[in-house]
Amino acid sequence: MYGLIGNPLGHSFSADFFNKKFQDEGIDETYRLFPIPEISDIENLIGNNLDLKGFNVTIPYKQQIIPYLNALSDEAREIGAVNVVKIDRYNNKVILTGHNSDVIGFRETIAPMIKPHMKKALVLGTGGASKAVIHALKSLGISVTSVSRKRSENTITYNDLTSAIIGENHIIVNTTPLGMWPNIDESPAIPYIFLTPDHLCYDLVYNPEITMFMSKSKEMGAIVKNGLDMLHAQALAAWEIWQA
């Protein structure tokens, strides 16, 4: 058995994706959703599900899960966030190893869309997903500025976004849950009026298919993409990690 931990999980397509994969390929496994109120609940979850071989991690636990792990892959350690955990059981000992397949999924799906003039990016949000996105963008030679509600080192606020800043950052990635079902009328507070057809606006949210962030960006002519292809790519990478 495999699964997904997070809170909430009503938006997730992961169970449908994996269970269809298992059925199509004749794999005798199941994938379940495990909404846990606190990250500390992970210990009981693993102890009560002895057939659990691995799980994905989503909002808000991609960073909080790390202290509960026995080991990290080099990339997960460098990124500072985990979205895949492999479980190995040796007699009565449980070994949890954290990996990050978000970086693979995002890099594979945005790379074909990047045009020569796209040298700089704004990453909206500073959670676990943003860390994988930043890592991927930098590996593609893109300069990154983070945007959050609070200013900090290497991070500006939404109120700092001017015409000039939007104009020179042709890639904008939403890593926040704003606009995710059921709160589909929400969107990051950026000045959409400054977007142009030279911009690429990528939303990690995939439910709904067209988010408010994407809709407002598309109205200004920007190229838009949701996170569904990323979900599929990172899920396949997770499966390879579990089978290794």
Side-chain angles (χ1 to χ4, degrees):
M1 180 174 65
Y2 300 88
L4 171 69
I5 69 164
N7 187 35
L9 293 180
H11 67 281
S12 179
F13 291 172
S14 293
D16 290 342
F17 176 85
F18 274 109
N19 285 320
K20 184 176 188 304
K21 175 181 175 62
F22 295 154
Q23 183 178 5
D24 291 347
E25 299 186 17
I27 299 171
D28 185 21
E29 288 289 356
T30 58
Y31 189 99
R32 293 176 53 192
L33 300 182
F34 296 104
I36 56 175
E38 304 288 342
I39 188 59
S40 57
D41 295 330
I42 191 65
E43 294 178 331
N44 286 335
L45 175 65
I46 293 171
N48 293 334
N49 293 275
L50 299 181
D51 56 342
L52 187 63
K53 302 172 184 174
F55 56 91
N56 292 117
V57 185
T58 190
I59 295 171
Y61 300 135
K62 292 185 179 184
Q63 294 166 272
Q64 295 181 37
I65 187 69
I66 291 177
Y68 293 85
L69 305 177
N70 303 101
L72 291 172
S73 70
D74 291 342
E75 198 160 47
R77 182 178 295 104
E78 184 176 351
I79 293 168
V82 164
N83 78 306
V84 181
V85 174
K86 183 178 181 182
I87 302 176
D88 291 300
R89 300 177 189 269
Y90 302 101
N91 297 322
N92 293 325
K93 190 172 183 180
V94 178
I95 304 296
L96 306 179
T97 305
H99 301 262
N100 194 301
S101 68
D102 277 339
V103 65
I104 300 170
F106 180 74
R107 185 167 52 217
E108 285 184 359
T109 53
I110 197 171
M113 304 182 73
I114 296 176
K115 298 181 180 180
H117 71 276
M118 297 177 177
K119 308 290 187 184
K120 297 182 178 181
L122 297 174
V123 174
L124 312 181
T126 54
S130 74
K131 296 180 180 300
V133 166
I134 291 169
H135 185 88
L137 288 170
K138 288 183 175 179
S139 74
L140 294 170
I142 305 297
S143 174
V144 179
T145 300
S146 296
V147 184
S148 184
R149 288 172 293 180
K150 295 182 180 180
R151 186 181 292 107
S152 61
E153 187 178 1
N154 299 321
T155 301
I156 63 175
T157 71
Y158 289 95
N159 291 333
D160 294 327
L161 296 175
T162 62
S163 172
I165 291 176
I166 296 293
E168 68 180 11
N169 287 272
H170 291 105
I171 300 173
I172 302 179
V173 184
N174 176 38
T175 72
T176 78
L178 289 170
M180 184 173 69
W181 185 89
N183 302 310
I184 62 174
D185 293 328
E186 296 179 350
S187 62
I190 68 169
Y192 294 90
I193 192 172
F194 300 136
L195 295 174
T196 70
D198 289 331
H199 283 86
L200 166 60
C201 295
Y202 192 125
D203 200 336
L204 266 57
V205 174
Y206 55 82
N207 183 9
E209 183 178 353
I210 304 295
T211 64
M212 188 63 67
F213 169 75
M214 293 169 61
S215 180
K216 289 181 177 180
S217 301
K218 192 174 182 179
E219 285 180 7
M220 305 309 299
I223 302 165
V224 298
K225 183 172 181 58
N226 70 18
L228 187 59
D229 287 340
M230 175 183 168
L231 171 74
H232 292 167
Q234 70 83 16
L236 292 174
W239 180 245
E240 292 181 4
I241 290 168
W242 291 328
Q243 298 308 299

